[in-house]
Amino acid sequence: MPRATGMVRKMDPLGRIVLPMEMRRKMHIADKDPLEIFIDGEQIILRPYHVSCSFCDEKEDLIEFKDKKICNSCLEEMKKAAH
C-alpha cells in the first residue's frame, strides 16, 4: 500500500515534475538515471529502471537477441525446448 509523503509538486506546461531531493536520495536515484513509468488503475508509478531478462527479470549475465535481453538460464531452457 502506498505511503503518503505529504509532498505535492505541480506539473509544468511540458508535463514535467521535480522529484524531491530527499525522495531521490532515499531511492538511490542519481541525475540522469532512467526511470520506468507504469499505470496501475488511476495511479502513475515511477521506479528506477534496470535492464533485465525479458522472460524472468534476472539482471545478471544478459545477452541481446533481436532487441531483447535474455539471461543464460532462460537461453538454456529455450535450447532444451527446441530439441
Side-chain angles (χ1 to χ4, degrees):
M1 194 73 175
R3 288 180 288 155
T5 63
M7 297 179 208
V8 176
R9 297 293 185 263
K10 290 187 178 184
M11 192 177 317
D12 75 8
L14 295 176
R16 298 176 295 197
I17 59 169
V18 174
L19 297 176
M21 178 60 75
E22 55 271 20
M23 194 176 283
R24 288 181 276 153
R25 283 185 182 140
K26 182 176 179 157
M27 296 298 297
H28 307 286
I29 299 171
D31 292 350
K32 299 186 181 182
D33 279 356
L35 299 175
E36 286 185 285
I37 305 169
F38 298 91
I39 296 176
D40 182 12
E42 295 197 13
Q43 296 182 18
I44 298 170
I45 300 169
L46 298 175
R47 74 175 181 197
Y49 173 71
H50 301 285
V51 176
S52 62
C53 176
S54 297
F55 299 102
C56 71
D57 288 332
E58 174 64 44
K59 292 169 180 51
E60 302 293 321
D61 300 321
L62 302 176
I63 63 164
E64 188 166 332
F65 180 72
K66 295 191 176 186
D67 294 327
K68 302 286 184 202
K69 302 291 184 186
I70 304 171
C71 71
N72 286 329
S73 178
C74 287
L75 180 61
E76 291 302 317
E77 283 186 48
M78 282 190 267
K79 286 178 184 177
K80 289 177 187 175
H83 286 77

